[in-house]
Amino acid sequence: MDLQFRADPAMLPCAVPGGVRFVFDAAPGTRSVALAGTFNSWVGDACMLEPVSPTRWQATLPIPAGRHLYKLVIDGKDWIADPANPWISEDGQHNSCLTVDASGAVLMREPGLSAAAPGPLHARAALASPDWLRDGVIYQLSVPAFGGDFDGVRARLGYLSELGADILWIMPVHPIGIEGRRGTRGDPYAVRDFDAIDPALGDAASLRALVDAAHARGMRVILDWTLNRSSVDHPFTRTHPHWYTRRADGSIYYAVPERGYFAGFDFADRALRHYLIDSMRGWIERYGFDGLRFDDSDITPCDFLDEIRAALAALRPDIALISQSYDEFHHLAACDLTYEGGTREMLRRCAHGEADGAAFARYWNESTYSFPRGALRMRWLEDKEQGRASAFLGRAAHGPAATVMLAMDGVPHLLMGQEFDEPSWTGWPVLFDPYQLNWQCFDGALYAHYQALIGLRRRHAALRAGATAFLDHLPPGVIGFTRDDGCERIVVLANLSSTAVTLGAGFTRVATLYASGWHQEDARLGPYGWMMGSSDDLP
Protein backbone atom coordinates (compact mmCIF):
# COMPACT_ATOMS: atom_id res chain seq x y z
CA MET A 1 0.00 0.00 0.00
CA ASP A 2 0.98 3.66 0.02
CA LEU A 3 3.65 4.46 2.60
CA GLN A 4 1.99 6.02 5.62
CA PHE A 5 5.07 7.29 7.49
CA ARG A 6 8.81 7.76 7.21
CA ALA A 7 10.65 4.73 8.51
CA ASP A 8 13.62 4.58 10.83
CA PRO A 9 16.21 2.73 8.69
CA ALA A 10 17.71 1.13 11.78
CA MET A 11 14.42 -0.66 12.48
CA LEU A 12 13.66 -1.88 8.95
CA PRO A 13 14.55 -5.38 7.74
CA CYS A 14 18.04 -5.21 6.25
CA ALA A 15 20.61 -7.50 4.66
CA VAL A 16 23.34 -8.78 6.96
CA PRO A 17 25.67 -11.77 6.80
CA GLY A 18 23.43 -14.82 7.02
CA GLY A 19 20.28 -13.28 5.58
CA VAL A 20 17.81 -10.56 6.56
CA ARG A 21 17.83 -9.06 10.04
CA PHE A 22 14.50 -8.21 11.67
CA VAL A 23 14.24 -5.93 14.71
CA PHE A 24 11.24 -5.35 16.96
CA ASP A 25 10.76 -3.15 20.02
CA ALA A 26 8.26 -4.98 22.22
CA ALA A 27 6.28 -3.87 25.22
CA PRO A 28 7.83 -4.68 28.61
CA GLY A 29 6.82 -8.12 29.80
CA THR A 30 6.62 -9.64 26.30
CA ARG A 31 7.44 -13.34 26.59
CA SER A 32 8.05 -14.30 22.94
CA VAL A 33 8.24 -12.82 19.46
CA ALA A 34 8.17 -14.87 16.25
CA LEU A 35 8.23 -14.16 12.52
CA ALA A 36 5.60 -15.74 10.26
CA GLY A 37 5.39 -15.10 6.55
CA THR A 38 5.52 -16.40 3.03
CA PHE A 39 9.15 -17.38 3.62
CA ASN A 40 8.10 -20.03 6.20
CA SER A 41 4.53 -20.83 5.10
CA TRP A 42 3.09 -18.63 7.85
CA VAL A 43 4.11 -20.94 10.67
CA GLY A 44 3.74 -18.94 13.86
CA ASP A 45 6.58 -20.55 15.81
CA ALA A 46 9.13 -21.43 13.11
CA CYS A 47 11.36 -18.39 13.54
CA MET A 48 11.77 -17.00 17.04
CA LEU A 49 13.35 -13.63 17.70
CA GLU A 50 15.80 -13.37 20.58
CA PRO A 51 15.86 -10.56 23.15
CA VAL A 52 18.95 -8.34 22.80
CA SER A 53 17.81 -5.81 25.42
CA PRO A 54 14.93 -5.61 27.91
CA THR A 55 12.54 -4.59 25.09
CA ARG A 56 14.34 -5.15 21.76
CA TRP A 57 14.07 -8.47 19.93
CA GLN A 58 16.04 -9.54 16.89
CA ALA A 59 16.53 -12.40 14.42
CA THR A 60 18.40 -13.04 11.19
CA LEU A 61 16.72 -15.30 8.66
CA PRO A 62 17.89 -16.52 5.23
CA ILE A 63 15.21 -15.44 2.77
CA PRO A 64 15.09 -16.25 -0.97
CA ALA A 65 14.75 -13.59 -3.65
CA GLY A 66 11.30 -12.17 -4.25
CA ARG A 67 8.50 -10.30 -2.48
CA HIS A 68 7.66 -11.57 0.98
CA LEU A 69 4.79 -10.82 3.34
CA TYR A 70 5.13 -11.26 7.07
CA LYS A 71 3.72 -10.59 10.52
CA LEU A 72 5.13 -10.65 14.02
CA VAL A 73 3.56 -13.13 16.43
CA ILE A 74 3.59 -11.80 19.99
CA ASP A 75 3.38 -14.25 22.88
CA GLY A 76 2.18 -16.92 20.49
CA LYS A 77 -1.25 -15.35 19.92
CA ASP A 78 -1.22 -11.75 18.65
CA TRP A 79 -0.37 -11.48 14.94
CA ILE A 80 0.59 -7.89 14.08
CA ALA A 81 2.16 -6.01 11.20
CA ASP A 82 5.69 -4.75 11.81
CA PRO A 83 5.12 -1.31 13.41
CA ALA A 84 8.46 -0.03 12.09
CA ASN A 85 7.68 -0.93 8.47
CA PRO A 86 5.37 1.49 6.60
CA TRP A 87 5.00 -0.87 3.63
CA ILE A 88 1.72 -2.80 4.05
CA SER A 89 0.53 -5.44 1.60
CA GLU A 90 -2.08 -4.82 -1.08
CA ASP A 91 -3.99 -8.02 -0.35
CA GLY A 92 -6.31 -6.67 2.34
CA GLN A 93 -4.62 -8.87 4.98
CA HIS A 94 -2.56 -6.03 6.54
CA ASN A 95 0.75 -7.85 6.19
CA SER A 96 4.15 -6.17 6.23
CA CYS A 97 6.22 -6.40 3.04
CA LEU A 98 9.81 -6.61 1.91
CA THR A 99 11.53 -7.63 -1.31
CA VAL A 100 14.88 -9.42 -1.54
CA ASP A 101 16.82 -9.27 -4.79
CA ALA A 102 19.06 -11.98 -6.22
CA SER A 103 22.13 -10.55 -4.48
CA GLY A 104 20.43 -10.77 -1.09
CA ALA A 105 19.89 -7.02 -0.79
CA VAL A 106 16.61 -5.91 0.79
CA LEU A 107 14.55 -3.56 -1.36
CA MET A 108 12.01 -1.67 0.72
CA ARG A 109 9.44 0.38 -1.17
CA GLU A 110 10.37 4.04 -1.05
CA PRO A 111 8.15 7.12 -1.03
CA GLY A 112 8.27 9.50 -3.95
CA LEU A 113 8.76 6.97 -6.75
CA SER A 114 7.80 8.28 -10.18
CA ALA A 115 8.70 8.02 -13.86
CA ALA A 116 11.53 10.45 -13.17
CA ALA A 117 12.70 8.57 -10.06
CA PRO A 118 11.83 4.88 -10.40
CA GLY A 119 12.83 2.08 -8.07
CA PRO A 120 15.77 -0.21 -8.94
CA LEU A 121 13.65 -3.04 -10.36
CA HIS A 122 11.96 -0.73 -12.86
CA ALA A 123 15.16 -0.76 -14.91
CA ARG A 124 14.42 -4.39 -15.76
CA ALA A 125 11.79 -5.23 -18.39
CA ALA A 126 8.88 -7.47 -17.50
CA LEU A 127 8.09 -10.58 -19.49
CA ALA A 128 6.23 -9.73 -22.69
CA SER A 129 2.60 -10.83 -22.38
CA PRO A 130 0.16 -11.82 -25.14
CA ASP A 131 -2.06 -9.06 -26.49
CA TRP A 132 -5.20 -11.03 -25.68
CA LEU A 133 -4.36 -10.85 -21.99
CA ARG A 134 -3.17 -7.26 -22.04
CA ASP A 135 -6.38 -6.13 -23.75
CA GLY A 136 -8.80 -8.44 -21.93
CA VAL A 137 -11.29 -8.36 -19.09
CA ILE A 138 -11.17 -11.36 -16.74
CA TYR A 139 -14.29 -12.99 -15.28
CA GLN A 140 -13.66 -15.53 -12.52
CA LEU A 141 -16.27 -18.17 -11.80
CA SER A 142 -16.89 -21.42 -9.96
CA VAL A 143 -18.58 -23.95 -12.23
CA PRO A 144 -21.13 -25.22 -9.66
CA ALA A 145 -21.86 -21.71 -8.36
CA PHE A 146 -22.25 -20.05 -11.75
CA GLY A 147 -23.89 -22.71 -13.88
CA GLY A 148 -24.15 -25.95 -11.91
CA ASP A 149 -21.95 -27.93 -14.30
CA PHE A 150 -19.97 -27.43 -17.50
CA ASP A 151 -23.09 -27.47 -19.66
CA GLY A 152 -24.73 -24.90 -17.39
CA VAL A 153 -21.76 -22.56 -17.73
CA ARG A 154 -21.79 -23.06 -21.49
CA ALA A 155 -25.45 -22.04 -21.53
CA ARG A 156 -24.51 -18.75 -19.83
CA LEU A 157 -21.69 -17.79 -22.20
CA GLY A 158 -24.08 -15.48 -24.04
CA TYR A 159 -24.59 -13.58 -20.79
CA LEU A 160 -20.83 -13.11 -20.45
CA SER A 161 -20.50 -12.05 -24.09
CA GLU A 162 -23.16 -9.40 -23.57
CA LEU A 163 -21.35 -8.18 -20.47
CA GLY A 164 -18.14 -7.94 -22.49
CA ALA A 165 -15.91 -10.26 -20.48
CA ASP A 166 -13.54 -12.09 -22.81
CA ILE A 167 -11.25 -14.06 -20.47
CA LEU A 168 -12.99 -16.82 -18.56
CA TRP A 169 -11.17 -17.94 -15.40
CA ILE A 170 -12.56 -21.26 -14.18
CA MET A 171 -11.89 -22.17 -10.56
CA PRO A 172 -10.54 -25.72 -9.95
CA VAL A 173 -12.44 -28.57 -11.61
CA HIS A 174 -10.48 -31.45 -10.08
CA PRO A 175 -11.91 -34.02 -7.64
CA ILE A 176 -11.95 -32.64 -4.09
CA GLY A 177 -10.34 -34.33 -1.10
CA ILE A 178 -12.54 -36.11 1.42
CA GLU A 179 -10.34 -36.49 4.49
CA GLY A 180 -10.68 -33.47 6.78
CA ARG A 181 -13.23 -31.99 4.37
CA ARG A 182 -14.94 -28.81 5.49
CA GLY A 183 -18.59 -28.64 4.56
CA THR A 184 -20.32 -31.22 2.41
CA ARG A 185 -18.42 -30.41 -0.81
CA GLY A 186 -15.06 -29.41 0.60
CA ASP A 187 -12.51 -26.84 -0.48
CA PRO A 188 -12.18 -26.91 -4.31
CA TYR A 189 -8.48 -26.10 -3.88
CA ALA A 190 -7.92 -29.43 -2.03
CA VAL A 191 -7.13 -31.50 -5.13
CA ARG A 192 -7.36 -35.29 -4.90
CA ASP A 193 -6.34 -36.00 -8.50
CA PHE A 194 -4.58 -33.47 -10.74
CA ASP A 195 -5.33 -35.45 -13.89
CA ALA A 196 -9.09 -35.97 -13.41
CA ILE A 197 -12.32 -33.98 -13.53
CA ASP A 198 -14.76 -33.79 -10.64
CA PRO A 199 -17.61 -35.96 -12.01
CA ALA A 200 -20.18 -33.66 -10.37
CA LEU A 201 -19.20 -31.00 -12.95
CA GLY A 202 -19.39 -33.16 -16.07
CA ASP A 203 -17.04 -35.21 -18.16
CA ALA A 204 -14.14 -34.58 -20.51
CA ALA A 205 -16.43 -34.08 -23.51
CA SER A 206 -18.55 -31.46 -21.75
CA LEU A 207 -15.47 -29.57 -20.54
CA ARG A 208 -14.02 -29.57 -24.03
CA ALA A 209 -17.37 -28.38 -25.38
CA LEU A 210 -17.34 -25.50 -22.91
CA VAL A 211 -13.84 -24.39 -23.89
CA ASP A 212 -14.64 -24.74 -27.60
CA ALA A 213 -17.86 -22.73 -27.22
CA ALA A 214 -15.98 -19.98 -25.38
CA HIS A 215 -13.35 -19.88 -28.12
CA ALA A 216 -16.08 -19.65 -30.74
CA ARG A 217 -17.26 -16.45 -29.02
CA GLY A 218 -13.76 -14.98 -29.04
CA MET A 219 -13.12 -15.74 -25.38
CA ARG A 220 -10.00 -17.17 -23.81
CA VAL A 221 -10.19 -19.69 -20.98
CA ILE A 222 -7.86 -19.98 -17.98
CA LEU A 223 -7.81 -22.92 -15.56
CA ASP A 224 -7.20 -22.35 -11.86
CA TRP A 225 -4.35 -24.55 -10.62
CA THR A 226 -3.56 -25.44 -7.00
CA LEU A 227 0.19 -25.28 -7.16
CA ASN A 228 1.98 -26.08 -3.92
CA ARG A 229 -0.17 -28.75 -2.29
CA SER A 230 -2.69 -31.54 -2.77
CA SER A 231 -5.48 -32.81 -0.57
CA VAL A 232 -4.23 -34.76 2.40
CA ASP A 233 -5.80 -37.92 0.94
CA HIS A 234 -4.27 -37.65 -2.52
CA PRO A 235 -2.96 -41.11 -3.53
CA PHE A 236 0.54 -39.65 -3.87
CA THR A 237 0.69 -39.22 -0.10
CA ARG A 238 0.89 -43.03 -0.01
CA THR A 239 2.70 -43.86 -3.25
CA HIS A 240 5.10 -40.88 -3.32
CA PRO A 241 5.42 -39.61 0.26
CA HIS A 242 8.86 -38.18 -0.59
CA TRP A 243 7.09 -35.57 -2.75
CA TYR A 244 5.68 -33.94 0.37
CA THR A 245 6.89 -31.87 3.28
CA ARG A 246 7.44 -34.19 6.24
CA ARG A 247 8.04 -33.87 9.95
CA ALA A 248 10.95 -35.52 11.70
CA ASP A 249 8.84 -38.61 12.28
CA GLY A 250 8.10 -38.87 8.54
CA SER A 251 4.47 -37.73 8.72
CA ILE A 252 3.21 -35.50 5.91
CA TYR A 253 1.93 -32.03 6.70
CA TYR A 254 1.11 -28.64 5.16
CA ALA A 255 2.87 -25.83 6.96
CA VAL A 256 0.20 -23.13 6.57
CA PRO A 257 -1.85 -22.96 9.79
CA GLU A 258 -5.48 -24.16 9.86
CA ARG A 259 -5.18 -26.09 6.60
CA GLY A 260 -5.01 -29.64 7.89
CA TYR A 261 -6.87 -31.00 4.86
CA PHE A 262 -3.89 -30.08 2.65
CA ALA A 263 -0.56 -31.89 2.16
CA GLY A 264 2.32 -29.62 1.15
CA PHE A 265 4.62 -30.40 -1.76
CA ASP A 266 8.40 -30.46 -1.42
CA PHE A 267 9.62 -28.86 -4.62
CA ALA A 268 13.18 -30.00 -3.99
CA ASP A 269 12.06 -33.26 -5.60
CA ARG A 270 12.68 -33.01 -9.35
CA ALA A 271 10.31 -35.86 -10.20
CA LEU A 272 7.45 -33.98 -8.53
CA ARG A 273 8.18 -30.91 -10.62
CA HIS A 274 8.24 -32.98 -13.80
CA TYR A 275 4.95 -34.65 -12.92
CA LEU A 276 3.15 -31.37 -12.23
CA ILE A 277 4.42 -29.75 -15.41
CA ASP A 278 3.40 -32.79 -17.46
CA SER A 279 -0.05 -32.65 -15.86
CA MET A 280 -0.41 -28.97 -16.76
CA ARG A 281 0.65 -29.70 -20.32
CA GLY A 282 -1.96 -32.43 -20.53
CA TRP A 283 -4.81 -30.10 -19.57
CA ILE A 284 -3.72 -27.54 -22.14
CA GLU A 285 -3.36 -30.15 -24.88
CA ARG A 286 -6.59 -32.04 -24.12
CA TYR A 287 -8.94 -29.14 -23.51
CA GLY A 288 -7.39 -26.14 -25.21
CA PHE A 289 -6.95 -23.92 -22.15
CA ASP A 290 -5.23 -20.64 -22.94
CA GLY A 291 -3.51 -20.24 -19.60
CA LEU A 292 -3.30 -21.14 -15.94
CA ARG A 293 -3.81 -19.23 -12.72
CA PHE A 294 -1.60 -20.38 -9.84
CA ASP A 295 -3.06 -20.42 -6.35
CA ASP A 296 -0.76 -19.32 -3.50
CA SER A 297 2.19 -18.92 -5.83
CA ASP A 298 3.73 -16.49 -3.34
CA ILE A 299 4.97 -19.51 -1.35
CA THR A 300 6.18 -21.42 -4.42
CA PRO A 301 9.89 -21.30 -5.40
CA CYS A 302 10.38 -18.78 -8.17
CA ASP A 303 12.73 -21.09 -10.07
CA PHE A 304 9.91 -23.65 -10.33
CA LEU A 305 7.62 -20.98 -11.77
CA ASP A 306 10.37 -20.20 -14.30
CA GLU A 307 10.51 -23.89 -15.25
CA ILE A 308 6.74 -24.04 -15.71
CA ARG A 309 6.83 -20.99 -17.96
CA ALA A 310 9.57 -22.40 -20.16
CA ALA A 311 7.79 -25.75 -20.56
CA LEU A 312 4.32 -24.34 -21.27
CA ALA A 313 5.56 -21.57 -23.57
CA ALA A 314 7.31 -24.24 -25.65
CA LEU A 315 3.93 -25.93 -26.00
CA ARG A 316 1.99 -22.73 -26.57
CA PRO A 317 3.88 -19.45 -27.18
CA ASP A 318 0.88 -17.23 -26.34
CA ILE A 319 0.24 -18.91 -22.98
CA ALA A 320 -0.80 -16.65 -20.08
CA LEU A 321 0.13 -17.40 -16.48
CA ILE A 322 -1.46 -15.56 -13.57
CA SER A 323 0.32 -15.54 -10.21
CA GLN A 324 -1.63 -15.10 -6.99
CA SER A 325 1.16 -13.00 -5.58
CA TYR A 326 2.43 -9.45 -5.37
CA ASP A 327 5.96 -10.50 -6.27
CA GLU A 328 7.96 -8.26 -8.59
CA PHE A 329 10.26 -11.13 -9.56
CA HIS A 330 7.43 -13.24 -10.95
CA HIS A 331 7.28 -10.80 -13.87
CA LEU A 332 10.84 -11.36 -15.03
CA ALA A 333 10.65 -14.87 -16.47
CA ALA A 334 7.60 -16.71 -15.11
CA CYS A 335 4.22 -14.98 -15.02
CA ASP A 336 2.30 -12.44 -17.05
CA LEU A 337 0.08 -11.07 -14.35
CA THR A 338 0.29 -10.56 -10.59
CA TYR A 339 -2.38 -9.36 -8.21
CA GLU A 340 -2.86 -5.66 -7.46
CA GLY A 341 -5.27 -5.15 -4.58
CA GLY A 342 -4.12 -1.73 -3.42
CA THR A 343 -6.44 0.06 -5.82
CA ARG A 344 -9.39 -1.49 -3.99
CA GLU A 345 -8.14 -0.35 -0.59
CA MET A 346 -7.29 3.16 -1.81
CA LEU A 347 -10.77 3.48 -3.31
CA ARG A 348 -12.24 2.53 0.06
CA ARG A 349 -10.12 5.15 1.81
CA CYS A 350 -11.22 7.81 -0.66
CA ALA A 351 -14.87 6.81 -0.26
CA HIS A 352 -14.54 6.98 3.54
CA GLY A 353 -12.69 10.30 3.61
CA GLU A 354 -9.42 8.71 4.72
CA ALA A 355 -7.49 9.59 1.54
CA ASP A 356 -7.79 11.87 -1.46
CA GLY A 357 -6.94 11.79 -5.14
CA ALA A 358 -3.37 12.87 -4.45
CA ALA A 359 -2.85 9.90 -2.11
CA PHE A 360 -4.36 7.60 -4.75
CA ALA A 361 -1.87 8.99 -7.30
CA ARG A 362 1.05 8.50 -4.89
CA TYR A 363 0.07 4.89 -4.36
CA TRP A 364 -0.16 4.30 -8.11
CA ASN A 365 3.30 5.79 -8.64
CA GLU A 366 4.88 3.87 -5.78
CA SER A 367 3.38 0.57 -6.88
CA THR A 368 4.00 1.08 -10.61
CA TYR A 369 7.59 2.30 -10.49
CA SER A 370 8.73 -0.26 -7.95
CA PHE A 371 7.86 -3.09 -10.39
CA PRO A 372 9.70 -4.18 -13.53
CA ARG A 373 8.99 -1.95 -16.50
CA GLY A 374 5.81 -2.96 -18.30
CA ALA A 375 4.63 -5.37 -15.59
CA LEU A 376 0.95 -6.21 -15.96
CA ARG A 377 -1.08 -6.05 -12.74
CA MET A 378 -4.54 -7.53 -12.22
CA ARG A 379 -6.79 -4.86 -10.70
CA TRP A 380 -9.86 -5.97 -8.79
CA LEU A 381 -12.61 -4.84 -6.46
CA GLU A 382 -13.47 -8.43 -5.52
CA ASP A 383 -11.56 -11.68 -5.42
CA LYS A 384 -12.27 -15.10 -3.96
CA GLU A 385 -10.90 -14.25 -0.52
CA GLN A 386 -12.96 -11.08 -0.12
CA GLY A 387 -16.62 -10.21 0.21
CA ARG A 388 -18.63 -8.00 -2.10
CA ALA A 389 -17.38 -4.58 -3.21
CA SER A 390 -20.57 -2.84 -2.13
CA ALA A 391 -20.12 -4.08 1.44
CA PHE A 392 -16.47 -3.02 1.43
CA LEU A 393 -16.76 0.37 -0.25
CA GLY A 394 -20.36 1.31 0.49
CA ARG A 395 -23.09 0.65 -2.06
CA ALA A 396 -23.14 4.20 -3.45
CA ALA A 397 -19.36 4.17 -4.03
CA HIS A 398 -19.44 0.94 -6.07
CA GLY A 399 -20.34 2.71 -9.33
CA PRO A 400 -17.54 5.32 -9.33
CA ALA A 401 -15.06 2.74 -8.00
CA ALA A 402 -15.86 0.41 -10.92
CA THR A 403 -15.32 3.37 -13.27
CA VAL A 404 -11.82 3.91 -11.90
CA MET A 405 -10.91 0.22 -11.95
CA LEU A 406 -12.03 -0.39 -15.54
CA ALA A 407 -10.38 2.79 -16.83
CA MET A 408 -6.98 2.10 -15.25
CA ASP A 409 -3.92 0.43 -16.71
CA GLY A 410 -3.45 -3.28 -16.13
CA VAL A 411 -5.99 -6.06 -16.60
CA PRO A 412 -9.37 -5.71 -14.85
CA HIS A 413 -10.86 -8.67 -13.02
CA LEU A 414 -14.47 -9.35 -12.03
CA LEU A 415 -15.63 -12.06 -9.66
CA MET A 416 -18.83 -13.85 -10.65
CA GLY A 417 -21.85 -11.83 -9.58
CA GLN A 418 -19.90 -8.65 -8.90
CA GLU A 419 -21.47 -7.05 -11.95
CA PHE A 420 -25.01 -7.34 -10.55
CA ASP A 421 -24.22 -6.94 -6.86
CA GLU A 422 -25.05 -10.55 -6.00
CA PRO A 423 -25.51 -10.53 -2.19
CA SER A 424 -24.73 -14.04 -0.92
CA TRP A 425 -21.01 -14.37 -1.73
CA THR A 426 -18.82 -13.75 1.33
CA GLY A 427 -15.63 -15.53 0.28
CA TRP A 428 -14.55 -18.85 -1.19
CA PRO A 429 -15.59 -20.93 1.90
CA VAL A 430 -19.19 -20.62 0.68
CA LEU A 431 -18.12 -23.15 -1.97
CA PHE A 432 -17.45 -25.79 0.72
CA ASP A 433 -21.20 -26.53 0.65
CA PRO A 434 -23.63 -26.60 -2.29
CA TYR A 435 -23.80 -22.98 -3.44
CA GLN A 436 -25.13 -21.06 -6.41
CA LEU A 437 -25.27 -17.36 -7.13
CA ASN A 438 -28.57 -15.71 -6.28
CA TRP A 439 -29.68 -14.60 -9.74
CA GLN A 440 -32.99 -13.34 -8.33
CA CYS A 441 -31.22 -10.36 -6.72
CA PHE A 442 -30.12 -8.81 -9.98
CA ASP A 443 -29.17 -5.12 -10.00
CA GLY A 444 -29.78 -4.29 -13.65
CA ALA A 445 -28.43 -0.75 -13.34
CA LEU A 446 -25.09 -1.94 -11.97
CA TYR A 447 -24.87 -4.63 -14.65
CA ALA A 448 -25.50 -1.98 -17.33
CA HIS A 449 -22.76 0.16 -15.77
CA TYR A 450 -20.20 -2.63 -15.97
CA GLN A 451 -21.34 -3.41 -19.50
CA ALA A 452 -20.87 0.23 -20.53
CA LEU A 453 -17.43 0.48 -18.94
CA ILE A 454 -16.20 -2.73 -20.56
CA GLY A 455 -17.57 -1.55 -23.89
CA LEU A 456 -15.70 1.75 -23.59
CA ARG A 457 -12.49 -0.10 -22.75
CA ARG A 458 -12.98 -2.26 -25.81
CA ARG A 459 -13.66 0.67 -28.16
CA HIS A 460 -10.93 3.03 -26.94
CA ALA A 461 -7.37 1.74 -27.16
CA ALA A 462 -6.20 4.51 -24.84
CA LEU A 463 -8.07 2.83 -21.97
CA ARG A 464 -6.17 -0.41 -22.56
CA ALA A 465 -2.69 0.78 -23.43
CA GLY A 466 -2.51 4.55 -22.95
CA ALA A 467 -0.10 6.27 -20.59
CA THR A 468 -1.58 7.28 -17.23
CA ALA A 469 -1.31 10.81 -15.82
CA PHE A 470 -3.13 11.94 -12.69
CA LEU A 471 -4.92 15.27 -12.43
CA ASP A 472 -3.89 17.65 -9.66
CA HIS A 473 -5.85 19.94 -7.33
CA LEU A 474 -9.10 18.00 -7.36
CA PRO A 475 -11.71 18.34 -4.61
CA PRO A 476 -11.69 15.81 -1.72
CA GLY A 477 -13.21 12.48 -2.69
CA VAL A 478 -12.47 12.88 -6.41
CA ILE A 479 -10.02 10.73 -8.36
CA GLY A 480 -9.05 11.99 -11.80
CA PHE A 481 -6.59 10.88 -14.45
CA THR A 482 -6.04 10.69 -18.18
CA ARG A 483 -5.16 7.78 -20.47
CA ASP A 484 -3.30 8.86 -23.60
CA ASP A 485 -2.07 6.58 -26.40
CA GLY A 486 -0.92 9.35 -28.73
CA CYS A 487 -4.09 9.14 -30.82
CA GLU A 488 -6.69 9.88 -28.16
CA ARG A 489 -6.72 11.30 -24.66
CA ILE A 490 -9.41 9.98 -22.31
CA VAL A 491 -10.31 11.93 -19.17
CA VAL A 492 -11.65 9.97 -16.18
CA LEU A 493 -13.29 11.58 -13.15
CA ALA A 494 -14.92 9.71 -10.26
CA ASN A 495 -16.51 11.27 -7.20
CA LEU A 496 -16.47 8.80 -4.31
CA SER A 497 -17.98 11.31 -1.89
CA SER A 498 -21.56 12.16 -0.94
CA THR A 499 -21.00 15.82 -1.87
CA ALA A 500 -21.34 17.45 -5.27
CA VAL A 501 -18.09 19.07 -6.44
CA THR A 502 -17.21 21.72 -8.99
CA LEU A 503 -14.13 21.27 -11.13
CA GLY A 504 -12.11 23.70 -13.22
CA ALA A 505 -13.56 25.46 -16.25
CA GLY A 506 -11.29 23.46 -18.54
CA PHE A 507 -13.42 20.37 -17.97
CA THR A 508 -16.36 22.01 -19.74
CA ARG A 509 -14.48 21.40 -23.00
CA VAL A 510 -14.30 17.62 -22.53
CA ALA A 511 -16.41 15.66 -25.04
CA THR A 512 -18.41 13.37 -22.76
CA LEU A 513 -18.42 9.68 -23.61
CA TYR A 514 -20.16 8.27 -20.55
CA ALA A 515 -21.25 9.95 -17.35
CA SER A 516 -23.56 9.94 -14.35
CA GLY A 517 -24.23 13.06 -12.30
CA TRP A 518 -22.10 15.19 -14.63
CA HIS A 519 -23.16 18.75 -15.48
CA GLN A 520 -20.81 19.83 -18.22
CA GLU A 521 -21.96 23.45 -18.47
CA ASP A 522 -20.53 24.24 -15.03
CA ALA A 523 -18.17 21.25 -14.66
CA ARG A 524 -20.08 19.96 -11.65
CA LEU A 525 -19.98 16.32 -10.65
CA GLY A 526 -22.74 15.02 -8.39
CA PRO A 527 -22.35 12.73 -5.38
CA TYR A 528 -20.93 9.36 -6.41
CA GLY A 529 -20.92 10.49 -10.03
CA TRP A 530 -18.43 9.84 -12.80
CA MET A 531 -17.43 11.14 -16.18
CA MET A 532 -15.34 9.68 -18.98
CA GLY A 533 -14.64 11.88 -21.96
CA SER A 534 -12.24 12.69 -24.75
CA SER A 535 -10.15 15.85 -24.73
CA ASP A 536 -6.97 17.34 -26.16
CA ASP A 537 -7.32 20.45 -24.03
CA LEU A 538 -7.09 20.32 -20.26
CA PRO A 539 -5.65 22.88 -17.87
Side-chain angles (χ1 to χ4, degrees), residues 411-499:
V411 182
H413 161 278
L414 278 67
L415 180 70
M416 57 178 181
Q418 172 181 335
E419 73 283 2
F420 67 89
D421 216 16
E422 195 282 333
S424 66
W425 176 271
T426 56
W428 101 103
V430 301
L431 302 175
F432 297 4
D433 290 294
Y435 170 80
Q436 290 196 328
L437 296 177
N438 184 353
W439 293 89
Q440 303 306 310
C441 297
F442 193 91
D443 186 329
L446 187 63
Y447 174 88
H449 180 48
Y450 273 101
Q451 188 179 47
L453 291 170
I454 294 171
L456 284 165
R457 191 176 181 94
R458 189 79 60 234
R459 292 190 297 274
H460 296 272
L463 291 173
R464 304 190 304 274
T468 300
F470 283 87
L471 302 173
D472 296 325
H473 311 300
L474 297 176
V478 177
I479 294 172
F481 54 92
T482 62
R483 303 292 310 280
D484 191 334
D485 67 351
C487 297
E488 186 179 26
R489 189 185 195 194
I490 303 293
V491 180
V492 182
L493 295 170
N495 183 5
L496 287 106
S497 78
S498 59
T499 304

Side-chain angles (χ1 to χ4, degrees), residues 307-349:
E307 289 178 19
I308 295 170
R309 178 71 190 209
L312 299 186
L315 174 68
R316 182 167 188 157
D318 69 341
I319 195 80
L321 302 180
I322 301 175
S323 172
Q324 189 197 7
S325 79
Y326 299 80
D327 195 322
E328 302 93 333
F329 285 83
H330 287 190
H331 287 278
L332 297 178
C335 297
D336 299 275
L337 200 59
T338 57
Y339 276 42
E340 194 290 298
T343 294
R344 173 182 183 265
E345 170 60 19
M346 292 305 296
L347 287 166
R348 186 200 64 80
R349 293 182 189 179

Side-chain angles (χ1 to χ4, degrees), residues 157-199:
L157 290 179
Y159 167 87
L160 295 176
S161 290
E162 291 176 7
L163 176 64
D166 56 2
I167 301 175
L168 189 60
W169 161 357
I170 298 177
M171 295 169 80
V173 299
H174 301 101
I176 298 171
I178 297 171
E179 184 177 337
R181 174 179 285 190
R182 296 185 182 178
T184 57
R185 281 191 52 84
D187 187 337
Y189 291 85
V191 176
R192 199 169 81 252
D193 186 342
F194 285 94
D195 296 317
I197 294 169
D198 182 347

Side-chain angles (χ1 to χ4, degrees), residues 67-265:
R67 169 84 72 87
H68 296 280
L69 311 182
Y70 70 97
K71 276 191 167 79
L72 295 157
V73 186
I74 312 302
D75 292 338
K77 58 185 177 64
D78 296 325
W79 292 57
I80 66 169
D82 185 345
N85 185 351
W87 186 9
I88 297 298
S89 63
E90 306 165 359
D91 60 359
Q93 307 298 320
H94 200 69
N95 297 306
S96 296
C97 300
L98 77 156
T99 294
V100 179
D101 74 8
S103 70
V106 177
L107 306 177
M108 303 300 298
R109 183 170 290 178
E110 300 176 4
L113 295 182
S114 66
L121 288 176
H122 200 69
R124 303 180 67 176
L127 185 76
S129 299
D131 290 342
W132 66 262
L133 178 66
R134 186 176 296 274
D135 292 341
V137 174
I138 297 171
Y139 191 95
Q140 179 186 175
L141 63 83
S142 155
V143 170
F146 186 80
D149 58 16
F150 296 136
D151 290 341
V153 173
R154 181 156 55 92
R156 291 192 185 274
L157 290 179
Y159 167 87
L160 295 176
S161 290
E162 291 176 7
L163 176 64
D166 56 2
I167 301 175
L168 189 60
W169 161 357
I170 298 177
M171 295 169 80
V173 299
H174 301 101
I176 298 171
I178 297 171
E179 184 177 337
R181 174 179 285 190
R182 296 185 182 178
T184 57
R185 281 191 52 84
D187 187 337
Y189 291 85
V191 176
R192 199 169 81 252
D193 186 342
F194 285 94
D195 296 317
I197 294 169
D198 182 347
L201 306 181
D203 57 16
S206 58
L207 175 56
R208 182 72 210 210
L210 168 58
V211 176
D212 288 346
H215 286 164
R217 291 180 175 272
M219 296 178 176
R220 302 286 183 144
V221 188
I222 288 174
L223 177 65
D224 209 335
W225 192 276
T226 304
L227 189 57
N228 54 52
R229 62 196 185 275
S230 72
S231 70
V232 73
D233 54 353
H234 192 293
F236 287 157
T237 60
R238 299 183 299 277
T239 61
H240 296 72
H242 52 288
W243 284 4
Y244 291 88
T245 52
R246 287 180 288 172
R247 301 181 181 90
D249 64 3
S251 61
I252 291 170
Y253 74 105
Y254 185 55
V256 176
E258 299 181 9
R259 295 290 186 270
Y261 53 89
F262 290 140
F265 285 137

